[in-house]
Amino acid sequence: MGLVVAIILIYAAYKLLGGFAKFVIPAIAIIYAITLAVKYWWLIAIVAIGTVVWYGYDKKMSNKPNVSKPEVHKTQDANFEEVHQPNVNSSSQEPTEDQVTPDNNLSKIEVPKSNDTEIENTVSIPVRERVVPTVHKLRRKLTDFVVFDIETTGLNRYENELTQVSAVKYRNDKLVEKFNTYVNPHQILDKNITFLTGITNEMVTNAPETETVIQQFTDFIEDLPLVGHNIYRFDIPFLIAKGFSVQDIYALDTYPLSNNKLPKLKNHKLPTLKEYYGIVNRSHNSLNDCETNAIVYQNLRDDRLDQVEPDYSKFEKTLVGLRFSITGQFIEKGRDEIAEEIIEHGGKYTKTVTKLTNYLIDGTQIATNLVDGKHSSSELKAMTSDVTKIISLDDFEKMALNKSKQETA
């Protein structure tokens, strides 16, 4: 307040007064201001530091490239507006995961005007052609569609590769065609990936190239919308990163659909939905998952939301009265699939070995937390048990198909 008074006095003296008073009053005001400055030095220091910081920030911001606002153009489709982003070249900024192109150009984003679809922000990726897909999230009920699934060498779409692409085509809600092929990733598959997907190096070594499979898949789907599980976050961005360049991708993801329609489920993974709807189908292959997901989608689409008990009546009850446990991993089948087989044939499955366990189906141990570095806790229990017998997956298959073979062995 004192500084303000001093400034006012100086201004008034020069504007209104003359003669000796014109110099005396400003001198008094300056002395007054200096006195205040000594008393409130800390306040002046804060103001000075703040001024320096602000000046540095303002200079930094002034050096950034000027990016104009996007232009909005009407497309031929009255349901969408098309937003074209200007090109941005900045060597000082790392592009985000969803904005990586050879030139770091922001791609086209379309914004829906109807309730039929949502538009996913387009993922710009290193593609071989100039067409950058736009993902339209569908909401309407589909009877003509393609359910697809992929297997990969890992979760990073820029560093990892495809190993399998599968799809099933539906027209008028009827299965009309299947697509299934392995893909050559040109890298040695990690052991964990092999056990997880059931795909070995031998299966992919002479498989078609990624570019060939992408083109075959593009031809297969024609103009049909895509359906899949968790495809918004994983499958579609992965395919785009590998060159899938259809201009407009119309898609429906059953993961958020199940989350919306079955909110009380413990989770919304495909195996959980398969169990909920009592679907009897193998799961250790992407083509099997496509077939399973098609049934899941039809149930969710038609609001058939009640749990369904699986029908195992067509399976011969060769394992009645027997208890099984499973340890390790298997290339041929997943552990969930083996457990399902046990139940299909009338046996009982427990996750751990107990005093009542008759058989432990033993696979390859790939875990890093083994009890003695070699054996699982289930193996050690079975090895010291007088009741539990350790068998291979092949032994179990023979038992499930024909119990008499086991009895005569």
Side-chain angles (χ1 to χ4, degrees):
M1 186 64 185
L3 292 174
V4 174
V5 172
I7 292 171
I8 293 174
L9 289 173
I10 293 172
Y11 179 80
Y14 273 89
K15 289 291 183 180
L16 303 176
L17 301 177
F20 184 70
K22 184 175 183 179
F23 298 99
V24 172
I25 293 178
I28 295 173
I30 291 172
I31 294 172
Y32 178 61
I34 293 173
T35 304
L36 289 176
V38 172
K39 184 177 181 180
Y40 295 103
W41 65 267
W42 53 271
L43 181 59
I44 295 174
I46 292 174
V47 173
I49 293 172
T51 301
V52 171
V53 172
W54 176 84
Y55 175 79
Y57 175 77
D58 182 66
K59 184 176 181 180
K60 180 180 178 181
M61 292 300 292
S62 65
N63 291 331
K64 285 194 171 184
N66 185 26
V67 181
S68 59
K69 293 183 179 180
E71 298 177 26
V72 179
H73 305 281
K74 296 291 184 178
T75 65
Q76 293 180 353
D77 186 350
N79 292 327
F80 301 96
E81 289 180 352
E82 188 174 280
V83 180
H84 293 279
Q85 296 279 9
N87 293 342
V88 179
N89 265 331
S90 175
S91 58
S92 62
Q93 263 189 319
E94 282 285 331
T96 64
E97 186 179 60
D98 289 338
Q99 293 176 331
V100 179
T101 63
D103 297 322
N104 193 24
N105 294 330
L106 297 180
S107 58
K108 180 180 68 178
I109 305 173
E110 291 189 348
V111 183
K113 297 177 67 177
S114 70
N115 293 326
D116 180 57
T117 63
E118 285 181 357
I119 305 302
E120 173 93 308
N121 286 346
T122 301
V123 181
S124 300
I125 39 71
V127 294
R128 296 172 178 81
E129 299 181 11
R130 294 183 179 181
V131 176
V132 180
T134 301
V135 179
H136 306 260
K137 294 181 179 180
L138 297 179
R139 295 177 178 177
R140 67 176 182 268
K141 295 182 177 181
L142 305 173
T143 56
D144 297 333
F145 55 90
V146 171
V147 181
F148 81 101
D149 186 43
I150 63 174
E151 299 291 355
T152 68
T153 61
L155 300 178
N156 189 314
R157 60 182 178 267
Y158 302 117
E159 296 180 359
N160 300 124
E161 300 295 333
L162 291 166
T163 56
Q164 186 179 15
V165 178
S166 303
V168 290
K169 183 184 297 183
Y170 279 74
R171 289 197 180 275
N172 295 321
D173 226 23
K174 301 294 182 182
L175 176 62
V176 295
E177 194 175 356
K178 296 181 181 181
F179 175 86
N180 185 43
T181 180
Y182 294 115
V183 187
N184 191 339
H186 291 285
Q187 58 184 252
I188 301 300
L189 300 182
D190 183 84
K191 181 172 61 174
N192 292 329
I193 292 297
T194 294
F195 281 105
L196 177 65
T197 64
I199 299 175
T200 65
N201 287 297
E202 291 73 20
M203 294 177 179
V204 298
T205 298
N206 297 316
E209 299 295 320
T210 298
E211 293 82 357
T212 301
V213 172
I214 290 295
Q215 186 57 56
Q216 291 173 344
F217 177 70
T218 303
D219 295 339
F220 176 82
I221 66 176
E222 301 177 273
D223 59 348
L224 295 175
L226 298 175
V227 175
H229 204 69
N230 200 33
I231 58 175
Y232 291 158
R233 290 187 176 184
F234 182 71
D235 300 69
I236 290 178
F238 206 106
L239 285 179
I240 293 174
K242 302 308 170 188
F244 183 54
S245 57
V246 177
Q247 178 64 68
D248 295 285
I249 301 174
Y250 295 88
L252 190 150
D253 195 329
T254 52
Y255 188 96
L257 184 64
S258 65
N259 188 46
N260 180 50
K261 294 202 172 189
L262 298 171
K264 294 184 179 180
L265 282 185
K266 59 181 180 180
N267 62 60
H268 297 274
K269 298 177 181 179
L270 189 58
T272 302
L273 292 166
K274 173 185 173 181
E275 179 182 357
Y276 183 82
Y277 280 118
I279 301 170
V280 181
N281 186 28
R282 298 294 173 248
S283 303
H284 201 52
N285 184 284
S286 61
L287 182 61
N288 297 144
D289 286 342
C290 290
E291 295 167 346
T292 295
N293 201 27
I295 300 172
V296 168
Y297 170 63
Q298 289 170 325
N299 280 306
L300 294 172
R301 178 198 64 192
D302 299 336
D303 292 322
R304 295 194 292 267
L305 306 179
D306 294 331
Q307 187 168 0
V308 179
E309 291 297 324
D311 181 12
Y312 297 136
S313 60
K314 64 180 181 180
F315 296 97
E316 187 179 358
K317 300 300 180 284
T318 54
L319 304 178
V320 174
L322 298 177
R323 290 176 179 266
F324 295 82
S325 185
I326 306 170
T327 185
Q329 300 296 326
F330 308 83
I331 294 177
E332 302 88 346
K333 297 179 179 180
R335 289 173 58 164
D336 290 342
E337 189 175 353
I338 299 171
E340 188 176 9
E341 277 192 67
I342 294 171
I343 298 171
E344 288 171 352
H345 291 281
K348 292 187 177 180
Y349 166 70
T350 57
K351 291 185 177 180
T352 59
V353 173
T354 69
K355 295 180 180 179
L356 301 177
T357 303
N358 301 109
Y359 295 97
L360 173 65
I361 305 172
D362 195 14
T364 302
Q365 301 297 335
I366 62 174
T368 57
N369 59 343
L370 298 175
V371 176
D372 60 357
K374 295 182 179 180
H375 301 94
S376 67
S377 58
S378 293
E379 284 180 317
L380 294 176
K381 288 181 180 179
M383 290 165 62
T384 58
S385 172
D386 296 330
V387 178
T388 306
K389 181 179 179 181
I390 300 176
I391 62 174
S392 67
L393 178 60
D394 185 60
D395 293 332
F396 166 74
E397 294 289 355
K398 293 177 181 178
M399 293 175 61
L401 293 175
N402 190 346
K403 187 178 178 181
S404 62
K405 290 185 179 180
Q406 181 270 332
E407 292 173 341
T408 57

